[in-house]
Amino acid sequence: MSPLRPPPTPRTPLGGAATTPDHLPPPSPHTPRPAITLTAPPSKKKRRGGAAARSLRAIRAVRALFRSLPILAPACRFHGAIRAPGGASRAHDGHVSGASRTTGTLFGYRKARVTLAVQETPGSVPILLLELAMQTGRFMQEMGAEHLRVALECEKKPPGAGAGIGRTRLLDEPLWTAYVNGRKIGYAMRREPTEGDLTVMQLLRTVSVGAGVLPTDVMGGDAGAEVQDAGDLAYMRARFDRVVGSRDSESFYMLNPDGNNGPELSIFFIRI
C-alpha cells in the first residue's frame, strides 16, 4: 500500500505570496530607448585627396572652355528671383543659390527651453546643438507668424586675449545673445549632445520634414518629475539652406516644402 502524499503546492518566494499564472506582474509601461546608430558627420579633410584633385582639374578645364566661348547678352531679364537677406538670391523653389543643404530640428519639452540641432544629414550626429532662452511652446507660437527672424550675436575676442585668436569657427562659439524678430530674449548656449538629444535624433532619423510630438514614455523611463511636468516633447524638422557670408557671419534659411506660401524662418549667426 503506497503512503499518502499531499497534493503539490506552488512554490512561495521568500517574503512574498505564491505566484500563479493568473497573477503575473504587469509589464513595464516604459519603452526602452532605441539604440543610437547615428553616423559621424562627414569630414571635409577626408574629401581632400586624389579624387578632389581630379575634380578640381575638371572644373578648371570647364572654366577654360567657357572662357573661350563668345559672350552673348540676353534680350530679356527674368524677374522671378526672390532676393534673400544678405544678398543671396532665391529661385522659385525657395532654394538659395550657392548654399549647402542641412537639416535643422527645433525640439524640446513644451515648458522647457527649445533646442536647435543642425545636422549635415538626418542620420548624422549634430554639428551644432544650441539651447535658446525661450520655452518650446512659446517658440512654436512664434512660428505661427508669417516671418520669423532669429538673430544670434557674439563678440569677437579682443587682441591679446590668448593664443589661437581668430581660429575659432563661428558655430563653435559657446555663448550668444539671442533676438527673435528684433526682440531680445536672453542668451543661447552651445552644448554637447546628451543621451536624450541623441535619442531624439535617432527617433527622427527617417524624418526629413515634419512636426509633431514625442510622448515621454518613448523618450525612456529615466525622466524625472520635472520632465514629467514639462509635458510632451515637441519637434519641428525642416531642410535649411546654409549660407556662409564670411568668417563672422552665417545664415540658415528654412525651405518650405509647400513653396513660398508657408511661414519663413531665418536664423543668423553674427560675430561682431
Side-chain angles (χ1 to χ4, degrees), residues 16-256:
T19 303
T20 62
D22 297 336
H23 297 83
L24 294 177
S28 174
H30 301 299
T31 304
R33 289 180 181 267
I36 305 300
T37 60
L38 301 175
T39 59
S43 175
K44 295 182 180 180
K45 295 182 180 180
K46 294 181 179 179
R47 299 175 185 176
R48 299 176 183 177
R54 290 192 297 268
S55 177
L56 183 59
R57 287 195 297 268
I59 294 176
R60 290 176 178 175
V62 173
R63 288 180 177 176
L65 175 63
F66 276 101
R67 287 173 182 172
S68 63
L69 297 176
I71 299 176
L72 301 178
C76 60
R77 296 181 178 180
F78 297 93
H79 301 278
I82 301 175
R83 300 298 296 177
S89 61
R90 289 196 176 191
H92 289 287
D93 58 354
H95 176 62
V96 180
S97 60
S100 59
R101 293 290 178 91
T102 58
T103 298
T105 308
L106 292 157
F107 66 95
Y109 294 96
R110 293 188 181 276
K111 297 182 181 180
R113 293 183 176 182
V114 63
T115 300
L116 168 66
V118 177
Q119 300 168 276
E120 293 188 357
T121 62
S124 63
V125 177
I127 60 175
L128 173 65
L129 206 65
L130 205 65
E131 184 176 301
L132 282 72
M134 176 180 279
Q135 289 187 356
T136 305
R138 177 67 182 277
F139 190 88
M140 295 303 177
Q141 292 178 358
E142 295 283 349
M143 282 294 299
E146 183 178 357
H147 303 282
L148 184 61
R149 304 287 187 266
V150 179
L152 301 166
E153 297 181 356
C154 69
E155 296 182 358
K156 293 182 181 179
K157 295 181 181 179
I165 298 300
R167 297 180 181 178
T168 303
R169 293 176 59 252
L170 181 63
L171 299 185
D172 289 340
E173 292 287 349
L175 190 63
W176 303 81
T177 304
Y179 300 86
V180 175
N181 283 347
R183 185 179 72 258
K184 183 178 179 180
I185 64 171
Y187 295 93
M189 185 187 325
R190 178 188 173 93
R191 58 181 175 83
E192 295 297 325
T194 63
E195 184 179 357
D197 300 326
L198 295 179
T199 300
V200 174
M201 300 296 102
Q202 179 68 26
L203 293 172
L204 300 178
R205 70 189 185 281
T206 59
V207 179
S208 57
V209 176
V213 172
L214 296 176
T216 306
D217 59 345
V218 177
M219 293 299 300
D222 301 331
E226 296 181 358
V227 174
Q228 295 286 349
D229 296 338
D232 294 331
L233 189 142
Y235 71 90
M236 187 205 72
R237 168 167 283 197
R239 299 289 288 170
F240 283 78
D241 274 342
R242 178 183 179 182
V243 180
V244 179
S246 66
R247 194 171 188 173
D248 299 320
S249 65
E250 290 191 23
S251 306
F252 291 81
Y253 304 99
M254 185 180 71
L255 298 176
N256 196 321

Side-chain angles (χ1 to χ4, degrees), residues 256-269:
N256 196 321
D258 299 328
N260 296 323
N261 298 325
E264 294 184 6
L265 171 61
S266 302
I267 304 174
F268 304 95
F269 292 85

